[in-house]
Amino acid sequence: MTTLGQNLKIDGDRLWDSLMEMAKIGPGIAGGNNRQTLTDEDAEGRALFQSWCEAAGMTMGLDTMGNMFATRAGEDPDALPVYMGSHLDTQPTGGKYDGVLGVLGGLEVIRTMNDLGVKTKHPIVVTNWTNEEGTRFAPAMLASGVFAGKHTQDWAYGREDAEGKSFGAELKRVGWVGDEAVGARKMHAMFELHIEQGPILEAEKKDIGVVTHGQGLWWLQCTVTGKDAHTGSTPMNMRVNAGLGMARMTEAAHEIAMAHQPHAVGAVGHCDVYPNSRNVIPGKVVFTVDFRTPDLEKLTSMRSQFEAKAAEIAEELGLGLEIEPVGHFDPVTFDPGCVSAVRNAAERLGYSHMDIISGAGHDACWINDVAPTAMIMCPCVDGLSHNEAEDISQEWAAAGTDVMLHAVLETAEIVA
Ligand SMILES: [Zn+2]
């Protein structure tokens, strides 16, 4: 019988070969990938993944959102499956590992179990969640969101890309509409392996991030209105400058995040200035403030402090102000049992590890609402992601997948 010892590891070369093989589909222009959701390239990547799963003896299930579920049978017909998964779709200028590592790492776990002849009580499922990135069809984590009951399927089907093509029509066109009702599956647990997409693990020289929390988020879209006027001939005391208002509010967002340390961030990442002309004082500015923290109280407090401060600034400068919330997630606390399984695995394997908070959204954040869930992170070079230059080492990929192997086997219970 296989036991969870320090030597129980996946095949790092085989994992790497699969990652490189998948990266050939939908190549980018600078060494990364452009395999956006529900494109022909996405369909090709799915087909390759399916062929690998079937070669590993798994059975493929497909739901009405195109989520893929490859199952390795367990010994107890009544036991709920343990899931592993992430996403195969990429940003338009994406890397080779964001999402893909979590799916192909899951496949490598199954291949390793097959090599060893391991039998588990619970079935094990490897999942590819549709449209995690949300670039082509907003929002991100769309299909896991429908699975977890956050959005309706009708709403998701109606999301449109920049050319006006709908998610539902494109899913059908690429031939990946399944007949399973989305969200009908029950889960014993779910594990998502993902690259960190931040610089902490590399800087701290840790192999493994044990993800305990996911950040909550508010996106506040602010419309500041003043009066367009000539920058040369309008006296300073007669200006109603929406650009100045935005500048002060941007600084306020920064100050408010600084006042909520530790584990709180805030910035203005998007802004449109009207009319955006060198010699016109801006009459209108639309910008979005992004606040994130894993602490619900801090999240609420940052939003309300910003709203109060922005109103004060607008009043002082004689500007109109409207604030509309356009994005929100509550902070996520991952399942303590699953988190322990990840930490135990890293410990047993002798990998350096630290607890970490996920700065980005992931499918696991939604699934955590309907099943015990945890995430494993591995470092990425310079914290760079959503960039074709995104890079990880083969050793990091293998270590993260080793940890997932142990956490999943502990959870799925080895019987032979
Ligand atoms: Zn991702």
Side-chain angles (χ1 to χ4, degrees):
M1 177 157 146
T2 304
T3 50
L4 293 175
Q6 187 169 9
N7 296 326
L8 182 64
K9 290 188 174 179
I10 58 97
D11 182 336
D13 290 335
R14 181 171 55 193
L15 169 64
W16 198 255
D17 287 349
S18 297
L19 287 165
M20 293 308 116
E21 208 49 41
M22 183 59 77
K24 289 179 186 164
I25 300 174
I29 47 167
N33 275 107
N34 178 5
R35 202 169 51 245
Q36 292 184 66
T37 199
L38 307 187
T39 56
D40 292 347
E41 290 77 18
D42 183 26
E44 198 183 332
R46 287 163 170 268
L48 177 62
F49 172 59
Q50 173 160 8
S51 72
W52 282 339
C53 291
E54 285 169 355
M58 290 189 276
T59 334
M60 188 60 75
L62 186 66
D63 73 14
T64 50
M65 283 296 290
N67 295 316
M68 299 171 72
F69 303 100
T71 302
R72 184 185 196 264
E75 297 301 299
D76 178 351
D78 297 326
L80 291 175
V82 174
Y83 286 72
M84 293 177 273
S86 195
H87 59 96
L88 292 173
D89 70 322
T90 75
Q91 290 281 326
T93 53
K96 298 192 280 284
Y97 312 102
D98 172 3
V100 188
L101 177 64
V103 180
L104 300 186
L107 173 66
E108 177 52 39
V109 166
I110 301 292
R111 287 169 167 172
T112 302
M113 291 173 64
N114 290 348
D115 293 346
L116 299 168
V118 184
K119 290 186 170 146
T120 53
K121 175 182 163 185
H122 296 262
I124 299 179
V125 179
V126 186
T127 302
N128 169 34
W129 297 107
T130 304
N131 189 28
E132 193 278 341
E133 294 293 358
T135 315
R136 187 174 175 208
F137 301 102
M141 297 122 69
L142 182 68
S144 55
V146 176
F147 186 96
K150 301 292 173 188
H151 320 296
T152 66
Q153 179 168 289
D154 283 350
W155 182 79
Y157 273 18
R159 309 304 297 156
E160 287 184 352
D161 69 5
E163 291 168 20
K165 293 177 181 162
S166 74
F167 178 94
E170 283 295 279
L171 183 63
K172 205 164 160 192
R173 183 189 69 79
V174 294
W176 284 93
V177 189
D179 44 21
E180 252 188 66
V182 61
R185 286 173 170 261
K186 298 291 168 254
M187 300 177 166
H188 182 61
M190 174 145 112
F191 293 91
E192 180 169 3
L193 167 64
H194 205 284
I195 62 167
E196 184 197 343
Q197 305 183 286
I200 298 168
L201 294 174
E202 190 186 29
E204 300 285 330
K205 298 192 168 38
K206 303 290 186 198
D207 303 314
I208 299 294
V210 179
V211 186
T212 57
H213 294 81
Q215 295 200 106
L217 160 160
W218 271 118
W219 280 349
L220 306 172
Q221 182 172 294
C222 306
T223 305
V224 179
T225 40
K227 192 163 190 239
D228 311 357
H230 197 292
T231 50
S233 52
T234 315
M236 290 305 282
N237 64 353
M238 292 177 70
R239 296 178 179 215
V240 194
N241 184 345
L244 179 60
M246 181 204 66
R248 289 199 185 163
M249 290 173 202
T250 301
E251 171 137 50
H254 178 83
E255 294 299 332
I256 288 165
M258 288 302 285
H260 285 78
Q261 294 306 300
H263 305 310
V265 291
V268 172
H270 146 259
C271 101
D272 290 317
V273 177
Y274 299 91
N276 206 19
S277 171
R278 283 185 190 86
N279 51 4
V280 182
I281 296 160
K284 182 168 97 165
V285 180
V286 180
F287 64 97
T288 310
V289 183
D290 174 320
F291 283 125
R292 302 186 197 211
T293 163
D295 181 324
L296 183 58
E297 232 171 89
K298 286 186 185 179
L299 189 63
T300 311
S301 153
M302 286 198 290
R303 178 185 168 178
S304 59
Q305 284 191 19
F306 177 79
E307 286 170 340
K309 186 69 194 173
E312 202 181 297
I313 293 167
E315 163 108 45
E316 197 184 313
L317 300 175
L319 297 162
L321 172 69
E322 260 178 65
I323 302 181
E324 185 194 350
V326 289
H328 174 67
F329 302 114
D330 275 340
V332 172
T333 302
F334 286 113
D335 177 72
C338 292
V339 171
S340 295
V342 171
R343 199 182 289 115
N344 294 344
E347 198 65 40
R348 192 185 301 123
L349 285 155
Y351 290 132
S352 58
H353 60 89
M354 64 184 285
D355 287 2
I356 193 168
I357 291 157
S358 172
H362 295 288
D363 294 308
C365 299
W366 282 150
I367 301 306
N368 188 57
D369 259 25
V370 291
T373 302
M375 291 190 74
I376 305 148
M377 279 185 178
C378 73
C380 57
V381 175
D382 296 333
L384 192 66
S385 184
H386 287 191
N387 187 310
E388 293 204 41
E390 174 188 281
D391 197 17
I392 64 173
S393 76
Q394 185 170 335
E395 290 69 33
W396 290 340
T401 310
D402 286 337
V403 168
M404 185 152 72
L405 169 71
H406 279 239
V408 163
L409 287 180
E410 185 183 318
T411 310
E413 299 176 51
I414 300 173
V415 291

